[in-house]
Amino acid sequence: MTSFSSGDWWTIGFSLWTAACSTLIILPFGIATAWLLARKNWMGKSLTETLVTLPLVMPPVATGLILLELFGKHGLLGSFIHRTFGTEIVFTWRAVVLAMSVMAFPLMVRGARTAFETVNPRLEQVASTLGASDLRIFFTITLPLSFRGVLAGIVLSFARALGEFGATILVAGNIPYKTTTLSISIYNDIQLGRDNHAYMLLLVAAVFAFCALGASEWFSRCKQS
Amino acid sequence: MKLELQEIRLRLHAMELQLNCTIEGKITAVFGATGSGKTSLLEIIAGLRKPEYGKILLDGKVLQDASTKTFVPARKRRVGYVPQDYAIFPHKTVCENITYGKTLSQNTPVSIKDLCITLEITHLLSRRPNTLSGGEKQRVAFARALAAAPEILLLDEPLSSLDHALKQRITPYIMLIRDEFKIPIVYVTHSSEEVMALCDQAIILQDGKIRAHGKPEDLFVKSDFALYLPKMS
């Protein structure tokens, strides 16, 4: 009978922590992008929509390769960050957060955008005639009325981050106690023939995914107050 | 109060709205069939739609001038707007709805208390909008718009969704707003009875263009009203 080792607990904790970090990082950008897409029109809106959705349909490994090229030590952004902050991104925990953020971003935007679109724009218009700024309208009308839908999108993007594999393995690798996530650990176990251990981790991943999806469904189905 | 719409042009889905008029009455009716551009006219005045051409002045103050790219946003216009569906904020109590704009505007001449007494909604203040009747929602929407101290009030078919009995109950409140608060009203309707009963001026819109402008009795009694009837709903 296989049991969880300290390394497994570290991997589970690390996965939850990095997924939470990535969700928090993309939260303001995701919400802002979703609001812009739901409420504003501009030239190139379709291009923005396509770019935002791209990581959802592109092979995760391809996204990982792009991130590796951009954030590698000699990459456009990687070299800039290294010069400015003396920090490296690839093959560190930051790369895990980066890959998770990029892959989860489209789901957050889609969830929040759908939620914003359910709010009657007439309410926002009336609020503006009453003297409210866009920011006040967002926080007092739009967000409270779409809160559950937005929350569903956030939970879904967290679940996506937690399950991220393809981009992460390319940009962060598999370094025990440094970048190994739950998905990577399962892959590693299968590669090494430790099937029973892989199934145990699979069960953990499935429970997390089930809970997250359940919560997301519950939030989106619950009637808005 | 003098509201001037000068050479306003806005392309809508199936037509072009062309407006050139001066609104000076206590209650000015905007009368026309469904799809004639009545609501769009209100939205232009409120700053919710931006016309491609033209100029809007309220008592000489420029609200919009396409030639100089001047556009005063809705939140700075002090134009009260009550849409057809009232748009009461469903997640706020009646009191929170009414004070929403009040907290933002300065030098409000009327107190919320007086407003609620006048419109007979004091007993509703702690209620949620989903527990209100159509007539109550209507009065709450009036109070909310008035609490923000507007210089002009825009009412979009305020009686159209109410039954006959409720119409008779709400009509005096509109007269009260006109007489007590002395705020000029632009009143969108497709009912000639409402125009005759409430308004001292009327604009007749047809396919986005002003067909006639004058006193209701001149337009509906003395002139050939049948001209406007075929396309009316």
Side-chain angles (χ1 to χ4, degrees):
Chain A
M1 179 71 190
T2 317
S3 62
F4 285 131
S5 65
S6 62
D8 294 332
W9 287 116
W10 185 90
T11 301
I12 293 167
F14 178 69
S15 299
L16 287 170
W17 180 73
T18 45
C21 278
S22 70
T23 309
L24 282 176
I25 288 168
I26 61 173
L27 186 64
F29 304 104
I31 299 286
T33 309
W35 181 81
L36 285 171
L37 290 172
R39 286 290 184 256
K40 301 284 174 187
N41 283 312
W42 69 91
M43 230 174 68
K45 185 177 172 179
S46 300
L47 182 70
T48 313
E49 280 174 309
T50 310
L51 284 172
V52 166
T53 318
L54 213 55
L56 206 63
V57 288
M58 254 180 38
V61 174
T63 308
L65 188 59
I66 294 170
L67 292 177
L68 197 61
E69 287 297 319
L70 278 174
F71 289 90
K73 207 169 181 179
H74 304 292
L76 194 69
L77 294 169
S79 58
F80 170 76
I81 291 168
H82 187 67
R83 273 200 317 273
T84 316
F85 304 106
T87 307
E88 281 186 33
I89 300 290
V90 292
F91 301 114
T92 67
W93 64 269
R94 294 177 199 91
V96 178
V97 174
L98 174 71
M100 285 178 171
S101 301
V102 170
M103 298 307 290
F105 188 72
L107 277 178
M108 183 177 287
V109 172
R110 286 174 87 85
R113 182 187 177 173
T114 308
F116 292 151
E117 281 172 345
T118 60
V119 178
N120 180 2
R122 194 58 89 188
L123 299 172
E124 296 164 343
Q125 289 178 339
V126 166
S128 71
T129 65
L130 293 170
S133 64
D134 278 352
L135 204 65
R136 184 181 150 102
I137 293 169
F138 178 77
F139 283 109
T140 57
I141 306 293
T142 318
L143 194 58
L145 287 173
S146 57
F147 185 67
R148 288 184 178 278
V150 172
L151 209 57
I154 293 170
V155 173
L156 210 58
S157 65
F158 173 77
R160 176 67 188 86
L162 203 57
E164 168 41 35
F165 173 77
T168 311
I169 190 116
L170 221 74
V171 83
N174 176 17
I175 309 168
Y177 290 102
K178 203 174 171 194
T179 63
T180 305
T181 62
L182 202 52
S183 313
I184 292 172
S185 197
I186 293 170
Y187 172 76
N188 196 38
D189 283 342
I190 295 293
Q191 289 291 304
L192 297 174
R194 297 192 309 216
D195 287 10
N196 284 346
H197 192 253
Y199 292 142
M200 266 176 49
L201 293 178
L202 167 75
L203 188 68
V204 174
V207 168
F208 283 150
F210 184 83
C211 291
L213 273 177
S216 174
E217 275 297 304
W218 184 74
F219 286 137
S220 51
R221 277 171 195 272
C222 268
K223 200 168 177 273
Q224 199 74 50
S225 65
Chain B
M1 191 282 309
K2 189 175 169 187
L3 178 70
E4 294 167 80
L5 303 174
Q6 299 176 356
E7 307 293 341
I8 292 290
R9 278 162 70 184
L10 174 68
R11 183 156 292 284
L12 299 171
H13 296 297
M15 62 180 181
E16 190 181 50
L17 200 60
Q18 294 180 6
L19 305 163
N20 196 22
C21 63
T22 301
I23 295 170
E24 286 182 286
K26 285 180 181 172
I27 301 187
T28 303
V30 178
F31 179 79
T34 305
S36 59
K38 304 187 296 291
T39 299
S40 300
L41 165 60
L42 289 197
E43 288 174 345
I44 286 170
I45 299 170
L48 302 173
R49 271 181 194 263
K50 201 172 179 178
E52 291 134 15
Y53 303 99
K55 198 170 177 179
I56 303 171
L57 297 117
L58 182 62
D59 280 336
K61 187 173 68 187
V62 178
L63 296 182
Q64 139 97 32
D65 188 352
S67 64
T68 58
K69 291 193 164 58
T70 306
F71 181 78
V72 178
R75 69 189 169 91
K76 289 185 177 169
R77 289 198 178 195
R78 295 189 67 187
V79 171
Y81 177 47
V82 180
Q84 203 173 346
D85 60 359
Y86 321 130
I88 305 288
F89 307 136
H91 57 304
K92 293 183 180 290
T93 62
V94 168
C95 183
E96 287 165 345
N97 263 278
I98 295 169
T99 52
Y100 187 87
K102 163 93 175 171
T103 53
L104 298 164
S105 67
Q106 313 234 313
N107 309 320
T108 310
V110 272
S111 76
I112 294 290
K113 196 179 162 192
D114 292 341
L115 199 61
C116 294
I117 291 168
T118 309
L119 292 170
E120 297 180 69
I121 51 170
T122 311
H123 62 293
L124 305 174
L125 287 175
S126 59
R127 298 252 299 265
R128 288 268 168 187
N130 59 357
T131 66
L132 303 178
S133 68
E136 288 169 339
K137 279 182 185 168
Q138 180 75 273
R139 282 179 283 150
V140 170
F142 288 162
R144 183 179 59 182
L146 291 169
E151 289 175 0
I152 184 169
L153 186 62
L154 313 175
L155 305 181
D156 193 355
E157 305 205 25
L159 305 181
S160 67
S161 57
L162 306 179
D163 60 34
H164 183 69
L166 259 179
K167 274 182 189 176
Q168 288 196 315
R169 279 206 61 206
I170 292 293
T171 305
Y173 291 109
I174 296 172
M175 289 171 166
L176 205 72
I177 292 169
R178 178 190 66 188
D179 301 330
E180 196 139 313
F181 299 107
K182 305 209 185 309
I183 293 170
I185 297 171
V186 179
Y187 185 100
V188 159
T189 182
H190 57 247
S191 157
S192 54
E193 289 85 11
E194 286 174 28
V195 179
M196 292 300 290
L198 286 166
C199 307
D200 53 350
Q201 256 199 53
I203 291 168
I204 295 177
L205 268 185
Q206 197 175 36
D207 299 328
K209 292 166 189 69
I210 295 173
R211 292 288 173 215
H213 184 186
K215 290 185 174 173
E217 56 270 29
D218 293 339
L219 297 176
F220 294 107
V221 182
K222 294 175 190 167
S223 71
D224 190 359
F225 175 53
L227 277 175
Y228 310 112
L229 276 176
K231 287 193 172 180
M232 295 296 163
S233 54

